[in-house]
Amino acid sequence: MPKYAMVIDQRRCVACMACVVACKKENDVPLGDFRTRVVEKTEGTFPQLRMELRSELCNHCDNPPCVYNCPTGASYKNKDNGMVLLKKYRCVGCKSCVAACPYDARYINEEKGFADKCTFCEHRVKEGKEPACVATCIGKSRIFGDLEDPKSAVSIALRENHSEVLLASAGTKPRVFYIKKYGKPE
Ligand code: SF4
Ligand code: SF4
């Protein structure tokens, strides 16, 4: 079974937002909603300041509170590929998953009345393609692949670099890993 994951190499992001646009187009994301974003993060205190660009999206957590808090079974973890997905026909739009996600990764598609979020472009992955954001990333900052394959780009990137996940203390076990611009924190 593949274990899909994404690595964000923050050293390579140039904040061109091509990923954000590609995602919206690929997934017909409504105006004002986003499945992924690129945010500026400032660390330190003046004058010792530094800035990092950070792509954010659903972490496809291995311990996903959005799934545990969904009362209808609409949100689920796909056992075949590890992606956290949605059975739209089961969603009642109650927003429990939106509230439970500590990453602000979900929104309600007001046009269609169900919760929505990044799917790792499962429809493309099934066809052997990369997620749209990865395919369009001009800096090669976004890397996608199978953690079970030691030769995959994600496995190599994680082996060769220090990486972190967001909100590790939340216990959600994210599958999106970050290689920080300034390396391992001291
Ligand atoms: Fe669920 Fe949020 Fe984790 Fe995505 S990031 S799997 S929406 S808890
Ligand atoms: Fe489940 Fe839909 Fe409610 Fe989210 S909004 S908890 S997916 S029923």
Side-chain angles (χ1 to χ4, degrees), residues 46-118:
F46 182 82
Q48 304 280 306
L49 291 171
R50 59 191 194 185
M51 189 192 79
E52 294 205 305
L53 299 164
R54 189 168 83 197
S55 299
E56 296 181 350
L57 64 158
C58 170
N59 287 277
H60 295 268
C61 306
D62 279 343
N63 194 24
C66 59
V67 172
Y68 304 145
N69 283 279
C70 175
T72 66
S75 286
Y76 70 103
K77 178 100 176 156
N78 186 325
K79 291 190 178 69
D80 292 339
N81 57 25
M83 297 176 184
V84 173
L85 300 170
L86 184 83
K87 291 174 183 155
K88 293 174 183 165
Y89 62 93
R90 284 198 178 174
C91 179
V92 294
C94 69
K95 303 184 183 173
S96 293
C97 56
V98 178
C101 172
Y103 303 98
D104 196 21
R106 287 181 174 244
Y107 60 92
I108 298 293
N109 184 324
E110 300 290 352
E111 290 170 13
K112 298 180 179 164
F114 55 72
D116 216 345
K117 68 170 195 66
C118 160

Side-chain angles (χ1 to χ4, degrees), residues 110-172:
E110 300 290 352
E111 290 170 13
K112 298 180 179 164
F114 55 72
D116 216 345
K117 68 170 195 66
C118 160
T119 60
F120 269 169
C121 281
E122 188 196 32
H123 59 290
R124 288 175 59 96
V125 174
K126 278 180 175 167
E127 294 174 354
K129 300 177 190 164
E130 295 177 314
C133 62
V134 175
T136 200
C137 178
I138 60 167
K140 302 293 177 206
S141 172
R142 291 184 182 234
I143 306 164
F144 179 81
D146 180 8
L147 290 176
E148 294 290 323
D149 176 3
K151 294 181 182 164
S152 71
V154 284
S155 296
I156 292 169
L158 292 177
R159 215 165 38 237
E160 294 184 349
N161 298 279
H162 169 76
S163 63
E164 298 176 14
V165 295
L166 299 184
L167 297 179
S169 60
T172 49

